[in-house]
């Protein structure tokens, strides 16, 4: 771990926390869906609750990290890696949003109402955001290890 | 090799006696991990950082960095 910079450790922690909390959120959403309680209010509560949980976990992680070693300012390599990863993450998010738009439009044309409810669309958009963030963080880690 | 750039940073640091990666990083204003990445050829630094390294070794930049064949 000593070979990793503060920013690389931060990226690892964020990726692991994000995936772990996404798994918990997905399991709970599936439970709610099976129980037939997939309403906008329920999903809103879950999204807010798990977002707060993610923020708390990340704050605690970064506090511990900052106590273990002095947080370093970003240098030019960190910024370059961030820009490249951010560009690709942005592309993934764009494709995801357009995918959801297509899903809504095509679903609307086909008249399938099950996946066109506000909670379903909100979860699809959240999935797009999750995938984009995971791709961005993974590309960061790739460049930290393999070079840029 | 990052962007076809070679460098002699590790060699010059060793020749400079006891200069550590951390000391060079602080002299240049980057992280130690960035110095490691430069030495391992995983990162081609900006002109500003290359000139900073040249100044730290008191050598012309072209003696430290070059184009790979």
């Amino acid at each position: 771990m000593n070979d990793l910079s503060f920013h690389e450790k931060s990226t690892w922690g964020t990726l692991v926390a994000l995936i772990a909390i996404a798994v918990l959120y997905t399991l709970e959403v599936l439970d709610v869906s099976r129980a037939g309680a997939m309403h906008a209010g329920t999903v809103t509560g879950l999204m807010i609750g798990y977002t707060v949980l993610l923020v708390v976990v990340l704050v605690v992680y970064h506090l511990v990290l900052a106590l273990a070693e002095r947080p370093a300012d970003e240098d030019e390599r960190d910024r370059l890696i961030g820009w490249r990863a951010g560009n690709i993450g942005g592309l993934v998010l764009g494709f995801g949003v357009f995918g959801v738009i297509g899903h809504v439009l095509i679903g609307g044309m086909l008249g399938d109402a099950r996946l066109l409810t506000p909670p379903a669309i909100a979860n699809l958009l959240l999935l797009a955001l999750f995938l984009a963030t995971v791709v961005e963080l993974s590309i960061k880690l790739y460049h930290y290890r393999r070079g840029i | 090799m990052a962007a076809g750039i070679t460098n002699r940073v590790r060699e010059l640091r060793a020749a400079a006696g006891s200069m550590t990666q951390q000391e060079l990083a602080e002299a240049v204003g980057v992280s130690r991990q960035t110095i490691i990445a430069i030495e391992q050829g995983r990162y081609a630094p900006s002109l500003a950082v290359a000139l900073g390294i040249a100044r730290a070794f008191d050598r012309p930049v072209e003696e430290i960095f070059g184009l790979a064949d």
Side-chain angles (χ1 to χ4, degrees), chain A residues 4-128:
Chain A
L4 308 184
S5 70
F6 179 87
H7 296 287
E8 193 174 350
K9 288 174 189 168
S10 165
T11 305
W12 268 114
T14 305
L15 180 62
V16 170
L18 182 67
I19 290 174
I21 287 172
V23 167
L24 294 175
Y25 173 82
T26 303
L27 292 174
E28 188 144 358
V29 164
L30 289 175
D31 278 348
V32 167
S33 178
R34 283 192 207 100
M38 189 76 130
H39 308 301
T42 313
V43 171
T44 303
L46 285 176
M47 279 188 184
I48 291 171
Y50 278 93
T51 302
V52 170
L53 178 61
L54 177 62
V55 170
V56 169
V57 168
L58 289 180
V59 166
V60 170
Y61 173 72
H62 283 89
L63 277 176
V64 172
L65 199 56
L67 288 173
E69 66 179 274
R70 189 168 57 87
D73 290 336
E74 278 190 332
D75 67 11
E76 61 172 36
R77 179 167 155 266
D78 296 311
R79 284 191 290 275
L80 185 60
I81 288 172
W83 289 332
R84 188 166 293 184
N87 282 343
I88 298 172
L91 276 177
V92 173
L93 180 61
F95 278 114
V97 169
F98 271 105
V100 175
I101 290 171
H103 167 82
V104 170
L105 294 177
I106 292 169
M109 284 187 278
L110 295 177
D112 184 353
R114 283 172 305 171
L115 288 173
L116 294 175
T117 61
I121 293 168
N123 276 314
L124 287 173
L125 287 171
L126 194 62
L127 176 64

Side-chain angles (χ1 to χ4, degrees), chain B residues 1-6 41 44 66-69:
Chain B
M1 192 64 62
I5 303 287
T6 61
L67 291 172
D69 293 333

Side-chain angles (χ1 to χ4, degrees), chain B residues 23-58:
Chain B
E23 286 167 347
L24 179 58
E26 286 170 8
V28 177
V30 297
S31 67
R32 185 176 68 85
Q33 285 77 15
T34 293
I35 295 297
I36 294 171
I38 291 170
E39 287 187 354
Q40 293 178 347
R42 291 188 287 115
Y43 177 60
S46 69
L47 183 57
V49 169
L51 289 170
I53 291 172
R55 179 189 286 171
F57 289 127
D58 197 20

